[in-house]
């Protein structure tokens, strides 16, 4: 072995047997075999032997230099020790699942996340804890086959709480599964061509892509790329199938380019001969999130991800490569200013054939350099914030093996809901359906089941917690529309615009991190926001992006909202302002610990000022940023209520959207607003009554 050979080779040769169990970790101190730990060993590309007398060689793969030996053991979080001692995420979960206890121990609770499950208990219940498990599927691009949807629908009734939850990362969540049923549920998902592997845990999570099934070259290429990235970063050691289907694997054939990219170690990215060539025994420092999209379509909240990938096409619409963004992330901790949400920033452009190698290089840079001592700072956003983008790019390029090209210019982003009826481009249709907070239940659940089963439809889940019915024949549109309406699934024109863009996390009662309500509270909150809109004179067709979370972890991405409510105490919220409808700006904290009963005291002055002082077509988020928080706080502090003259002329005139739209169409002919025309009609009628000329 040459001097420039991989330092980790001696170590990784020890782990060919995936059943070998590890008991100790020695940080960067040499162990008895004089090799470095798998966790932080630095692999260098074996080009040739380099002596001290030769001129410097080109270094192909470095991260940070090995630290000098020290008598102080490297500090690590408890979860890092659990991972190391787990025999690739098996032990002690495999033993804990066999006990009669309704729950599993602390180590197993951390490990089962890698299998796609969280242990929970009902926090509404008093007395002893009633344990259950939440299962989360992994569906790249939000794709769900007909077979898998029907299986999930059955599992929700047989083993869950009778509902399915559509998530902000295009997956299902199934709540309420008890421990003794876990293997049955997991194996059923697997045997119906689904998976929960890596839906949680310290590895790549579900890869997002636009849910719209457009038969268009750029959309198809984005979705294929998302599938390939998901496959590239899927664990390889078999722990998932060992646990749930006794080692039997249910996997489709991988594209050759994925296998080639995973196995390539030209630039020292891999653990040679390891059961996990990319992840090693320690996997990543924390969760890792990737999204892929096409220009203008920001349905995926691109800038909130660790890696954002955007298809770049030529003038003929043929994909040529990708712009890459890095360093996004939402999670933070209250009262710790050193934790924060962050937007991804441009890293550069790569040709299309290099995307898997570039993504792998970024993941390895985080694997090697992300913090493993304090999980609050383990996301890649903190590494980039610490290093700066130039240093980060330089290190990634060494693992990538070439320089990134300058990012290509892109058009402005838009949020696209993909709701309603659309042509796919292949003669068939798709129908995007709004689902409040992603909770499929009751008559809606029954109706969706009947339609999906009867017409043998595949579906897709959107990043905004909605569902898309795919591959619909035009002749089916009318009967499906009727059936949907009977099940309460209305076209988007009949849904309050506030609800269309709103999101909330599940929060109470099952999430152990929740401080206050989110999903259960947002229906009333949106009604209250709409009520304030009406009170201050804002029209029905006007809306803002509202997102609510029960804690600061940010699962519903509240830090991108125009109005974000983040739980900071019982029945209390932080108010965040300044996000934009296109999801391209980060909100900021405006007020802390606002009690739920006092929200109107903040909403009224803000919305009233927006109506009076906004520029033409200025969104609420842009307005709050232009005004500045100091001025907005002054307006809130001095608020004495909506002026009588204002409320006099802005009474609620329309009880339904259909009436509003009809009046608005007539008003536009006379270059008036719907409100102005309606008030003229009312005044004329009142005057005629007063003159004794009833019409």
């Amino acid at each position: 072995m040459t001097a420039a050979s991989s330092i980790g080779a001696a170590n990784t040769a020890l782990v060919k047997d995936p059943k070998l169990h590890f008991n100790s970790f020695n940080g960067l101190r040499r162990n008895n075999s004089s090799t470095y730990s798998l966790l932080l060993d630095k692999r260098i590309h074996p080009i040739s032997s380099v002596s001290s007398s030769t001129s410097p060689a080109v270094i192909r793969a470095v991260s940070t230099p090995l630290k000098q030996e020290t008598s102080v053991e490297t500090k690590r979080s408890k979860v890092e020790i659990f991972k190391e001692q787990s025999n690739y995420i098996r032990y002690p979960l495999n033993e804990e699942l066999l006990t009669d206890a309704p729950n599993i121990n602390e180590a197993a609770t951390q490990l089962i996340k890698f299998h796609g499950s969280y242990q929970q208990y009902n926090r509404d219940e008093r007395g002893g804890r009633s344990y259950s498990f939440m299962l989360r599927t992994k569906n790249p691009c939000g794709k769900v086959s007909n077979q898998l949807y029907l299986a999930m629908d059955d599992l929700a009734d047989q083993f869950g709480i009778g509902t399915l939850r559509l998530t902000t990362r295009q997956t299902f969540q199934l709540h309420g599964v008890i421990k003794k049923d876990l293997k049955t549920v997991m194996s059923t998902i697997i045997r119906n061509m689904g998976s929960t592997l890596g839906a949680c845990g310290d590895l790549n999570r579900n890869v997002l892509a636009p849910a719209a099934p457009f038969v268009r070259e750029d959309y198809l290429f984005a979705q294929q790329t998302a599938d390939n990235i998901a496959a590239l970063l899927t664990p390889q050691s078999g722990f998932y199938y060992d646990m749930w289907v006794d080692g039997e694997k249910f996997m489709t054939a991988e594209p050759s380019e994925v296998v080639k990219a995973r196995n390539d170690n030209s630039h020292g990215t891999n653990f040679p001969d390891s059961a996990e060539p990319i992840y090693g025994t320690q996997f990543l420092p924390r969760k890792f999130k990737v999204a892929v999209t096409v220009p203008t379509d920001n349905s995926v909240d691109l800038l909130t991800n660790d890696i954002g990938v955007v298809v770049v096409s030529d003038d003929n619409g043929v994909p040529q490569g990708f712009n890459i963004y890095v360093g996004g992330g939402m999670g933070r901790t209250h009262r710790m200013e050193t934790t924060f949400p962050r937007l991804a920033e441009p890293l550069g452009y790569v040709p299309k054939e290099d995307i898997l190698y570039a993504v792998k290089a970024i993941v390895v840079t985080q694997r090697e350099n992300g913090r493993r001592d304090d999980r609050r700072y383990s996301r890649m956003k903190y590494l980039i914030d610490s290093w700066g983008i130039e240093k980060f790019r330089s290190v990634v390029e060494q693992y990538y093996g070439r320089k990134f090209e300058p990012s290509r210019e892109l058009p402005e982003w838009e949020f696209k809901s993909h709701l309603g009826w659309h042509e796919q481009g292949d003669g068939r249709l798709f129908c995007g359906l709004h689902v409040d907070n992603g909770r499929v239940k009751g008559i809606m659940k029954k109706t969706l089941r009947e339609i999906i089963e009867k017409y043998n439809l595949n579906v897709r889940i959107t990043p905004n917690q909605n569902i898309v019915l795919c591959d619909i024949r035009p002749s089916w549109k009318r009967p499906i529309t009727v059936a949907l309406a009977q099940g309460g699934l209305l076209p988007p024109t009949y849904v309050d615009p506030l609800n269309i863009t709103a999101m909330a996390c599940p929060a109470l009662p099952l999430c152990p991190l929740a401080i206050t309500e989110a999903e259960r509270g947002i229906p009333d909150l949106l009604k209250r926001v709409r009520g304030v809109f009406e009170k201050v004179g804002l029209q029905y067709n006007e809306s803002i992006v509202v997102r609510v979370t029960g804690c600061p972890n940010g699962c519903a991405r509240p830090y991108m909202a125009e109005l974000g409510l983040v739980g900071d105490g019982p029945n209390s919220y932080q108010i965040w302002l300044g996000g934009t409808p296109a999801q391209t700006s980060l909100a900021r904290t405006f007020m802390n610990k606002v009690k739920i009963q006092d929200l109107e005291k903040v909403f009224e002055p803000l919305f009233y000022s927006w109506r009076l002082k906004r520029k033409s077509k200025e969104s609420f988020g842009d307005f709050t940023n232009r005004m500045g928080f100091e001025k907005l706080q002054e307006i809130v502090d001095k608020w004495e209520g909506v002026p009588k003259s204002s409320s006099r002329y802005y009474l609620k005139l329309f009880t339904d959207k259909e009436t509003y739209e009809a009046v608005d169409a007539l008003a536009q002919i006379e270059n008036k607003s719907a409100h102005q025309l309606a008030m003229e009609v009312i005044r004329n009628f009142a005057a005629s009554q007063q003159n004794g000329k009833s019409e």
Side-chain angles (χ1 to χ4, degrees), residues 189-256:
I189 292 172
I190 294 169
R191 295 180 193 281
N192 283 278
M193 307 311 294
S195 177
T196 64
L197 172 59
C200 324
D202 298 343
L203 71 176
N204 181 55
R205 303 288 186 88
N206 198 52
V207 180
L208 304 187
F214 290 125
V215 183
R216 244 175 59 181
E217 197 162 0
D218 54 350
Y219 272 86
L220 294 174
F221 192 58
Q223 291 158 4
Q224 182 60 57
T225 301
D227 284 334
N228 287 349
I229 292 172
L232 173 73
L233 300 177
T234 295
Q236 298 297 300
S237 54
F239 62 82
Y240 179 69
Y241 299 98
D242 286 350
M243 198 73 66
W244 308 111
V245 288
D246 301 322
E248 185 180 358
K249 289 195 174 183
F250 290 74
M251 300 177 70
T252 56
E254 291 182 318
S256 59

Side-chain angles (χ1 to χ4, degrees), residues 6-127:
S6 170
I7 296 172
N11 250 348
T12 53
L14 297 175
V15 297
K16 289 182 180 179
D17 181 359
K19 297 181 180 178
L20 190 62
H21 179 60
F22 294 88
N23 290 308
S24 63
F25 174 84
N26 296 297
L28 293 177
R29 296 182 293 115
R30 291 184 180 273
N31 59 26
N32 293 335
S33 61
S34 298
T35 57
Y36 283 94
S37 162
L38 271 174
L39 172 61
L40 294 173
D41 68 327
K42 307 298 169 185
R43 283 154 294 288
I44 303 176
H45 176 49
I47 307 170
S48 61
S49 179
V50 181
S51 68
S52 59
S53 61
T54 60
S55 59
V58 176
I59 299 175
R60 300 293 183 89
V62 297
S63 46
T64 52
L66 285 171
K67 297 178 182 178
Q68 297 296 319
E69 289 187 31
T70 171
S71 59
V72 180
E73 185 169 343
T74 304
K75 180 184 177 184
R76 298 185 302 149
S77 70
K78 187 183 294 186
V79 176
E80 290 298 314
I81 298 171
F82 291 154
K83 288 187 287 186
E84 183 202 3
Q85 297 178 347
S86 70
N87 185 19
Y88 293 104
I89 319 300
R90 292 175 172 86
Y91 173 84
L93 177 59
N94 53 353
E95 295 182 355
E96 285 292 304
L97 291 173
L98 299 176
T99 70
D100 293 331
N103 61 317
I104 55 180
N105 67 19
E106 182 182 6
T109 298
Q110 293 298 328
L111 298 181
I112 202 171
K113 294 177 184 179
F114 291 75
H115 296 259
S117 180
Y118 284 87
Q119 180 171 264
Q120 301 179 330
Y121 65 92
N122 191 334
R123 295 171 60 186
D124 282 347
E125 296 179 359
R126 296 293 176 259

